[in-house]
Amino acid sequence: MFAVFTVLLIGLSLFSSPAFALGVQDKGLTIDLLNQDPDPVKPGDVLEVRLSVQNTGYDEQENCIVTIEPDYPFRALPGEELSKNIGTLGKRYEDDRGKVVKFKLGVENDVNEGKYPLKVYLYTGGSKNGLSLTKDLIIDIDSESNAEIEFISVEKMVPGTKTDLTFGIKNVGNSPLKNAMFSWECTDDLILPVGSSNVKHINLIDIGETANVSFDVLTNVNTRPGLYKLDMVLTYDDIEELQTITEAGTVENQKRKEIKSKAGIYIGGTTDFDIAFMERSPTGAYTFSVSNIGNNGANSVKISVPSQANWSVTDGSNSVILGNLQKGDYTIADFNLKPAEIGEDLPIKFEISYTSSDGMRQVEEKELNLYSSPFTLSSESKQPGENSSSGFFSYKLLFLVLAGAAAVLVYRRQQKKNAEKGKTDDGEMEKRNIDEVDTEGRKIDEAEMDKKQKEE
């Protein structure tokens, strides 16, 4: 019984051997994979395999042909042969009983990590009718999945302004990203999506490809300018290991992989201005109001009238420093302007330069239509020499004022002298009258004395 069991065991081992299964046991032919380059190979790479073909039989084999038939995930490369005639394999113990054969193949980009079979056929007699051996060579493919946020479409956001925020997700690994899900959130929810959630699903991102996901976002109009953090999360299916692919195909160890990253986005930046005409003086000075109508403050604001065909600055500087303008603030600016034509609505251009809340110097151009009303005579005839004439006129006027004041002072002194003289004359007349009265009194007294003496 023991002998029978031993015979059966040997028989089963023979029947289960690959050589017997392929019906080539009697020929003694074998094919083995010496090496693969690279090992392991990655998706999208070029694979080179070196095969060892041996004859262990007692008969030599003539016109031996080795053929490979690439199937997914392998593919033929242009100009590379898939079948090679290696000539005669000598019989056992002879030096020419073995040969080495090289083949080059391409590996598909979308293959997952695992071990994949490569079919090899060996023919003898120079014809495919003489199939002697079929074998599956197992090729190790290493697929590393990885992704990164390649770009964010927006670096700055203006408070209160609806913005299209786009994220570019690039597959930088060696296998496709499948069933990916991307989400993001901002510190303290200062930036929120509108019209959708903050999660987007992506079915597939091929190797080296970039998928764009977009969100309409908004931030509060009163958000303080500054740099804020965005936290981003990308999850996708990751296949770490595959079983040997059979005709049915099996997949093992599938799980989700998560990649977390963060980025900064600035809230603040530029603002907007409005210019309106207020009034015009008779001398040609135009007054304009400048308002900050944006949602950010502006520092060191300067308004200028650049060189242009319709208007020119006739006197003074063509720029006015306005200082700092917070949102909603306004101020005025004056320019001495001369139009190219009188009585027409002429466009006039302004340049407003300012420092935005992010510290960058900005320049905005504004344009409005301005009516060129006629100048007064003094304004139209004003020449460059009029400045000196005006100065001379001012000195003349001052001289006249001083002369008038001197005349008034002389007049008042003369009046005082006349008054004093009048008082003197009145005193003398009064004294004269008193003397006359005294004289007449004495005369009366003397007459009465004479009369009394006569009577006596």
Side-chain angles (χ1 to χ4, degrees):
M1 292 181 62
F2 177 76
V4 172
F5 178 76
T6 303
V7 172
L8 290 175
L9 183 60
I10 295 174
L12 289 173
S13 63
L14 291 175
F15 275 97
S16 61
S17 65
F20 186 86
L22 296 172
V24 294
Q25 181 184 9
D26 53 342
K27 293 186 177 181
L29 296 174
T30 61
I31 297 178
D32 296 304
L33 176 64
L34 289 179
N35 58 26
Q36 67 174 69
D37 184 25
D39 187 12
V41 67
K42 295 181 179 180
D45 286 350
V46 174
L47 171 67
E48 181 180 88
V49 292
R50 297 175 72 243
L51 310 180
S52 172
V53 183
Q54 296 286 334
N55 180 13
T56 60
Y58 292 97
D59 297 322
E60 65 178 20
Q61 304 294 330
E62 298 178 350
N63 293 325
C64 295
I65 299 175
V66 180
T67 302
I68 58 173
E69 291 187 2
D71 196 3
Y72 180 87
F74 306 106
R75 56 183 172 83
L77 295 176
E80 293 293 333
E81 296 180 354
L82 299 180
S83 183
K84 294 185 178 180
N85 191 325
I86 59 174
T88 300
L89 294 175
K91 58 186 177 179
R92 188 174 185 175
Y93 303 123
E94 292 183 356
D95 293 336
D96 60 349
R97 67 181 182 276
K99 297 289 180 69
V100 175
V101 188
K102 294 181 183 179
F103 293 97
K104 283 187 177 181
L105 299 167
V107 180
E108 298 290 351
N109 290 327
D110 59 350
V111 61
N112 295 311
E113 181 179 356
K115 299 180 183 299
Y116 292 83
L118 175 63
K119 289 190 175 296
V120 182
Y121 301 93
L122 178 59
Y123 302 93
T124 57
S127 173
K128 287 190 176 182
N129 294 327
L131 178 61
S132 300
L133 180 62
T134 300
K135 189 170 184 179
D136 288 341
L137 303 178
I138 304 304
I139 306 298
D140 189 12
I141 297 180
D142 181 18
S143 177
E144 180 183 358
S145 59
N146 203 356
E148 65 180 17
I149 307 301
E150 186 178 25
F151 69 88
I152 301 176
S153 63
V154 176
E155 294 182 358
K156 302 176 185 177
M157 285 186 59
V158 178
T161 302
K162 189 176 180 181
T163 306
D164 179 17
L165 182 61
T166 300
F167 298 88
I169 304 172
K170 184 175 183 179
N171 182 356
V172 295
N174 296 314
S175 65
L177 299 183
K178 299 179 180 179
N179 194 27
M181 187 173 295
F182 175 79
S183 64
W184 63 273
E185 62 180 8
C186 182
T187 303
D188 299 328
D189 290 336
L190 291 176
I191 304 175
L192 290 173
V194 291
S196 67
S197 70
N198 65 329
V199 179
K200 290 291 179 72
H201 181 265
I202 310 167
N203 290 326
L204 176 66
I205 308 178
D206 207 350
I207 299 172
E209 298 294 328
T210 300
N212 297 333
V213 288
S214 299
F215 303 84
D216 288 331
V217 298
L218 194 64
T219 185
N220 191 283
V221 68
N222 295 319
T223 301
R224 184 176 180 180
L227 184 65
Y228 296 91
K229 183 177 69 171
L230 286 180
D231 292 312
M232 298 165 288
V233 179
L234 176 67
T235 59
Y236 55 91
D237 290 343
D238 181 33
I239 302 176
E240 289 185 326
E241 184 178 354
L242 296 179
Q243 289 183 345
T244 300
I245 300 299
T246 63
E247 292 182 359
T250 57
V251 177
E252 287 185 351
N253 299 327
Q254 182 173 346
K255 69 175 186 178
R256 299 288 287 176
K257 185 174 182 179
E258 182 178 79
I259 297 177
K260 293 183 178 181
S261 58
K262 61 183 177 181
I265 188 168
Y266 188 87
I267 299 178
T270 60
T271 187
D272 196 10
F273 296 91
D274 182 65
I275 300 178
F277 169 69
M278 294 184 64
E279 61 181 2
R280 171 191 175 275
S281 70
T283 60
Y286 288 80
T287 301
F288 302 89
S289 66
V290 183
S291 305
N292 182 355
I293 60 175
N295 292 324
N296 293 308
N299 297 328
S300 303
V301 183
K302 181 180 74 172
I303 182 171
S304 304
V305 179
S307 299
Q308 50 195 293
N310 294 321
W311 296 88
S312 60
V313 179
T314 60
D315 188 17
S317 174
N318 69 331
S319 299
V320 177
I321 302 297
L322 305 180
N324 299 339
L325 287 179
Q326 298 303 316
K327 61 179 182 179
D329 289 350
Y330 80 97
T331 186
I332 60 174
D334 295 328
F335 293 98
N336 292 318
L337 301 175
K338 184 177 180 180
E341 298 180 17
I342 302 297
E344 298 288 340
D345 281 328
L346 301 177
I348 181 171
K349 297 178 181 179
F350 296 91
E351 288 184 355
I352 301 177
S353 58
Y354 66 99
T355 302
S356 57
S357 60
D358 57 358
M360 303 296 293
R361 197 67 181 168
Q362 309 288 341
V363 177
E364 284 198 15
E365 295 184 355
K366 294 292 181 180
E367 181 177 311
L368 61 101
N369 288 328
L370 185 62
Y371 180 73
S372 57
S373 57
F375 286 89
T376 61
L377 181 61
S378 61
S379 176
E380 286 183 346
S381 60
K382 186 175 181 181
Q383 299 297 329
E386 283 188 349
N387 291 332
S388 59
S389 300
S390 299
F392 175 76
F393 176 76
S394 300
Y395 287 116
K396 185 177 180 180
L397 180 62
L398 179 61
F399 174 76
L400 292 176
V401 171
L402 293 176
V408 170
L409 182 60
V410 171
Y411 174 75
R412 287 183 178 180
R413 288 182 177 179
Q414 186 65 34
Q415 289 292 98
K416 184 176 180 181
K417 289 181 180 180
N418 293 336
E420 291 177 352
K421 183 178 180 181
K423 289 181 180 180
T424 304
D425 294 341
D426 290 342
E428 292 178 354
M429 185 175 293
E430 183 178 0
K431 183 178 180 181
R432 189 179 303 115
N433 291 336
I434 292 173
D435 292 340
E436 289 178 357
V437 170
D438 291 341
T439 302
E440 289 179 357
R442 286 194 299 271
K443 287 182 179 180
I444 293 172
D445 292 340
E446 290 177 356
E448 286 181 354
M449 290 291 291
D450 290 340
K451 185 176 180 182
K452 286 179 180 182
Q453 290 176 0
K454 289 179 178 181
E455 287 178 356
E456 291 176 355

